[in-house]
Amino acid sequence: MRSPLASLSADDRALLRRRLRTPLITFAALLALLAVNVTLGATLPFRHVWIVELLVVTAMVAIILLVSMEVRREPPLIRLFACLGFFWVAILFGMTLTDYLGR
């Protein structure tokens, strides 16, 4: 049985590689940042490691907004709602942490 990629022309394969480059690099960057965050959380190398973890999470959110959601190419109203959505998730996460840490 032949591979589906074998039936593609050289130009089609080059186009496929160009189209998949950004999602694969984004995936690798998010996976690497997640590994950094998990490692920092598991080892706790210094007292205020949560600040570094918060910066890593902020970088992950920025990558998702700018690359995966392609907010840079959208009209201003969609950018506003995308940012408001992440802000709302941050509020909900903060309320959950307040309940969890307050007990």
Side-chain angles (χ1 to χ4, degrees), residues 12-24 70:
D12 290 337
R13 275 183 263 152
L15 178 64
L16 184 63
R17 281 190 198 104
R18 275 196 311 271
R19 297 275 175 128
L20 287 178
R21 184 177 313 152
T22 301
L24 287 175
E70 297 179 355

Side-chain angles (χ1 to χ4, degrees), residues 4 11-14 19 23 32 34 40 49 55 58 62 66 76 79 94:
D11 291 336
D12 290 337
R13 275 183 263 152
R19 297 275 175 128
L34 179 65
L40 287 173
V49 71
L55 291 173
T58 305
L66 297 175
R79 288 183 200 170

Side-chain angles (χ1 to χ4, degrees), residues 9-60:
S9 69
D11 291 336
D12 290 337
R13 275 183 263 152
L15 178 64
L16 184 63
R17 281 190 198 104
R18 275 196 311 271
R19 297 275 175 128
L20 287 178
R21 184 177 313 152
T22 301
L24 287 175
I25 290 172
T26 303
F27 175 73
L30 288 172
L31 202 58
L33 288 171
L34 179 65
V36 167
N37 221 5
V38 168
T39 303
L40 287 173
T43 59
L44 296 172
F46 50 92
R47 187 165 190 251
H48 294 292
V49 71
W50 64 270
I51 297 171
V52 178
E53 289 175 339
L54 189 62
L55 291 173
V56 170
V57 168
T58 305
M60 291 172 76

